[in-house]
Amino acid sequence: MKELLTLIKKLDFKGLFFKKTDNVMIQFFRYCFVGGIATVVEGGALWLIQHFAFREQGGFYVFIAQTIAFVLGLTANFILSKLFVFQEKSEKTNAAGEFAAYGVIGVVGLGIKWLMLWLFSSCLGWYYMLVWLVATIIVLIWNYAARKVILYRHK
């Protein structure tokens, strides 16, 4: 934590974003930044698809829109995470296998989002974008922890 705070105080953007590091707090900081960009991609796609393609506020179509948006957000997250967060290669697999494992972890997150959308939006009538935002915060923590432990843990 101390190293992260020092980099922030010094406004050391190279250290915050580009230098290789094993420091979990710096990696999580980067992951939140990358996740923010991927969240904008996913949320923007969800809203655009839902409002312009389906022209509905809920129902089954929100799950289709969420799935398409998820794939776009997952792809953005993977590419940016490889550039800024998990710069080392996975010790367990090649690039295609790494993306597949990354995707499987992401699908669990998608399941969490679907469950929350169904429960809070479809059943209770809450605005789907608010439910999606809360679910995204929960899934952010799941995704980072699972990817760090399963894919990028050092021996």
Side-chain angles (χ1 to χ4, degrees):
M1 183 67 141
K2 192 174 188 177
E3 186 180 350
L4 173 63
L5 293 175
T6 301
L7 292 172
I8 292 171
K9 282 182 189 176
K10 291 182 179 180
L11 296 176
D12 182 358
F13 295 110
K14 191 172 185 178
L16 277 172
F17 295 103
F18 300 105
K19 286 185 182 175
K20 287 188 179 185
T21 183
D22 290 332
N23 184 301
V24 174
M25 292 307 296
I26 293 172
Q27 285 183 335
F28 188 70
F29 174 83
R30 290 176 182 179
Y31 192 79
C32 289
F33 183 79
V34 163
I37 294 169
T39 297
V40 169
V41 169
E42 182 179 335
L46 173 61
W47 188 85
L48 287 169
I49 294 165
Q50 188 66 13
H51 283 274
F52 292 105
F54 297 132
R55 298 177 192 254
E56 289 191 24
Q57 287 287 324
F60 180 72
Y61 295 109
V62 76
F63 296 101
I64 295 170
Q66 173 58 63
T67 303
I68 295 166
F70 163 77
V71 171
L72 295 172
L74 177 74
T75 303
N77 194 301
F78 179 76
I79 292 167
L80 293 173
S81 287
K82 289 303 296 173
L83 291 172
F84 298 109
V85 184
F86 304 117
Q87 296 161 325
E88 68 274 9
K89 290 186 178 185
S90 172
E91 297 174 356
K92 300 181 181 356
T93 184
N94 61 21
E98 187 176 349
F99 183 73
Y102 204 89
V104 168
I105 292 166
V107 167
V108 172
L110 177 62
I112 294 167
K113 286 184 180 180
W114 278 352
L115 179 63
M116 291 184 71
L117 279 167
W118 172 76
L119 181 62
F120 293 104
S121 184
S122 295
C123 294
L124 298 177
W126 294 10
Y127 183 59
Y128 75 95
M129 287 302 292
L130 176 63
V131 175
W132 173 83
L133 185 60
V134 171
T136 296
I137 294 166
I138 293 166
V139 169
L140 168 88
I141 296 165
W142 154 254
N143 284 343
Y144 175 79
R147 288 169 181 156
K148 179 70 176 167
V149 169
I150 295 169
L151 282 174
Y152 304 109
R153 178 179 40 174
H154 293 292
K155 289 181 182 177

